[in-house]
Amino acid sequence: QVQLVESGGGFVRPGGSLRLSCEVSGATLDSFAIGWFRQLPGQKREALSYISTRDGRKDYADSVKGRFTILRDENTVYLQMNNLMAEDTAVYFCAAGPPYLIPEAYKIWGRGTQVTVSS
């Protein structure tokens, strides 16, 4: 059974950086994508980025393009977040699914990690 565990969230000042980690267990990363998403209370989950474990293909939402980078090292997928802004404050999730920026397409989710950007 595939399990995903996020870590690395926390508090950061505007302009700062954080690196989130998504550790995947229970499966070999070679046949699906790992995506990063975020959600504010009462709002829809927003897709940020994914990386295909089959061919390494990546994609980013326009809201984070140029600031966030998705990386993979064996069974861990990272989201490097630079130049963070207050509007990046949210709970961040990783999930396993098809290589699309569509949250509803992903079926296996981690529990999330809180990111707070504030001065």
Side-chain angles (χ1 to χ4, degrees), residues 4-114:
L4 299 94
V5 178
E6 304 93 338
S7 62
F11 178 91
V12 64
R13 305 287 188 191
S17 298
L18 280 176
R19 175 174 284 203
L20 305 182
S21 299
C22 174
E23 186 171 349
V24 183
S25 61
T28 301
L29 291 188
D30 61 1
S31 59
F32 47 85
I34 298 295
W36 279 100
F37 307 81
R38 66 187 179 191
Q39 189 172 26
L40 285 168
Q43 295 190 17
K44 285 187 174 181
R45 201 162 285 186
E46 177 189 9
L48 303 176
S49 179
Y50 71 78
I51 182 167
S52 170
T53 62
R54 180 175 294 178
D55 58 15
R57 180 161 47 100
K58 306 175 185 180
D59 199 6
Y60 298 91
D62 288 343
S63 59
V64 302
K65 202 170 287 185
R67 298 190 300 125
F68 291 10
T69 302
I70 194 166
L71 308 160
R72 178 195 165 191
D73 181 9
E74 297 190 352
N75 271 32
T76 302
V77 175
Y78 302 95
L79 187 68
Q80 176 66 42
M81 307 187 296
N82 297 329
N83 192 23
L84 283 162
M85 303 181 290
E87 46 264 50
D88 294 317
T89 296
V91 179
Y92 285 68
F93 299 86
C94 63
Y100 309 125
L101 288 174
I102 303 172
E104 294 79 7
Y106 287 70
K107 303 304 180 187
I108 303 172
W109 291 83
R111 293 188 173 185
T113 185
Q114 176 70 45

